[in-house]
Amino acid sequence: MIRLLRRLGGAVLVLLALSAVVYALFYLAPADPAVLTCGKGCTPDRLAEVRAAMGLDESVATQYAHFLQGIVAGRDFPAGPDVRHCPAPCLGYSFETDQPVTALLADRLPVSASLALGAQILSLVAGVGAGLLRSRFVDALVLVGYATPVFLVGLVLLLVFSVQLQWLPFPTYVPFTEDPLGWAQNLLLPWTALAIIQAATYARLTRSGIQDALAEDHVRTARAYGLPERRIRTRRALRGALIPVVTLTALDVAAIMTGAVLTETMFGLPGVGQLLVGAVNQIDLPVVVGVTLLTGVLVVAGNAVADLLYAAIDPRVQAR
């Protein structure tokens, strides 16, 4: 329990620091958010109104306090003669669509989550399995997978399985609640494209970790007692080898959910990655800030979960 509370406290401090850095980068940078919001042909009077409506005419400390208040408790935004309330977590409204940023993220997040979780499961199974095998052919496949860019893998998969063989449809996102089978069929190619790259990394980590674990004292003792080599590798050495894999998995899930821009673009998936590309092209600062904060929250949460899982994988971690 103490370890959990300490980890949660550290995560809160990291997120607070992240919010300060993100706010400084996007709202205190040379580019004026009020000018971006006001658009072309903006008059000085209109610019002053926009700055007042966005709270940019207040001190930096007050602006940041309102920013945190919106995330924690929500805040009010002027809407012409009226006032509209943005419930927590409030990240503001898109400059382009005037929709709440949280609503935009909520619409896109299931797509990215489906892509990330499916690819992660495939890559873990294939990567850890390949890392356990001792074969030069497997080593060659791992090297090829590690060096091949995801857009090339995705293009080949589309040409072979969707165009030539026509075994799978061209990917379009289908919600799991509407059609579970269609959801899996349409995401199988994107899952595979991402999993091939990740599986190669997990295979190398697993292979390296097992080689290190096989040299430890407890493994030599098990071998001296006459335990089968296969059991030693899967029961004894694999536990220690999985620690770096767990760490990378926690980071990869967060990165895929918010950063698989190439994959989502190639396969036409309306996820968070595509939302970020559109926001950057339109200089839609609230959306960019929202995606950045979401990425940070996912990375911090993933690392916290990974840290708590260490003891379950290897009891020696808990002993230390």
Side-chain angles (χ1 to χ4, degrees):
M1 179 59 69
I2 296 178
R3 182 184 180 89
L4 175 61
L5 293 176
R6 185 167 59 246
R7 188 64 185 177
L8 289 176
V12 171
L13 292 178
V14 170
L15 290 176
L16 185 62
L18 174 67
S19 69
V21 172
V22 169
Y23 186 84
L25 286 176
F26 290 101
Y27 287 102
L28 302 181
D32 190 343
V35 175
L36 298 175
T37 304
C38 194
K40 296 180 180 180
C42 185
T43 63
D45 292 340
R46 175 57 182 163
L47 180 60
E49 294 177 0
V50 172
R51 290 184 62 82
M54 297 180 66
L56 298 177
D57 56 344
E58 300 173 331
S59 66
V60 173
T62 303
Q63 292 180 46
Y64 179 61
H66 288 165
F67 180 70
L68 289 181
Q69 174 191 345
I71 296 175
V72 176
R75 57 179 296 194
D76 294 331
F77 282 86
D82 303 320
V83 175
R84 56 182 173 182
H85 179 70
C86 179
C90 177
L91 300 173
Y93 291 84
S94 167
F95 291 167
E96 293 297 318
T97 64
D98 201 36
Q99 292 181 286
V101 174
T102 49
L104 294 174
L105 292 174
D107 289 340
R108 303 296 187 102
L109 196 56
V111 182
S112 296
S114 299
L115 176 64
L117 295 178
Q120 201 67 45
I121 293 172
L122 283 178
S123 61
L124 280 173
V125 172
V128 174
L132 288 171
L133 297 176
R134 290 176 292 183
S135 168
R136 290 187 177 180
F137 177 71
V138 173
D139 291 342
L141 289 179
V142 168
L143 184 60
V144 172
Y146 193 78
T148 306
V150 65
F151 66 86
L152 180 59
V153 175
L155 181 60
V156 171
L157 291 174
L158 283 174
L159 290 175
V160 173
F161 293 100
S162 294
V163 178
Q164 296 294 331
L165 299 177
Q166 297 184 358
W167 288 354
L168 293 170
F170 192 89
T172 56
Y173 182 72
V174 177
F176 179 82
T177 54
E178 296 180 5
D179 184 5
L181 181 59
W183 171 82
Q185 286 179 337
N186 281 276
L187 287 175
L188 185 57
L189 291 182
W191 285 344
T192 306
L194 275 178
I196 289 175
I197 310 299
Q198 290 180 284
T201 303
Y202 292 144
R204 294 182 65 180
L205 277 177
T206 304
R207 175 71 58 83
S208 176
I210 286 179
Q211 294 301 323
D212 293 340
L214 288 175
E216 294 184 4
D217 293 338
H218 70 95
V219 174
R220 287 198 294 265
T221 302
R223 189 178 285 117
Y225 276 106
L227 291 179
E229 187 67 20
R230 182 177 180 181
R231 184 175 181 182
I232 291 175
R233 292 176 67 88
T234 56
R235 295 288 183 88
R236 303 273 181 165
L238 183 59
R239 281 196 172 187
L242 284 180
I243 290 182
V245 175
V246 169
T247 304
L248 186 60
T249 300
L251 294 173
D252 280 349
V253 171
I256 293 174
M257 287 184 66
T258 56
V261 176
L262 284 176
T263 307
E264 291 182 1
T265 302
M266 173 174 291
F267 292 101
L269 299 175
V272 176
Q274 274 203 355
L275 177 65
L276 177 61
V277 172
V280 170
N281 290 334
Q282 300 295 331
I283 319 180
D284 198 346
L285 285 184
V287 176
V288 176
V289 169
V291 175
T292 305
L293 288 176
L294 175 63
T295 304
V297 169
L298 292 175
V299 170
V300 172
N303 276 279
V305 172
D307 186 59
L308 296 175
L309 288 176
Y310 287 165
I313 297 173
D314 191 348
R316 295 172 298 172
V317 175
Q318 189 175 13
R320 291 196 291 266

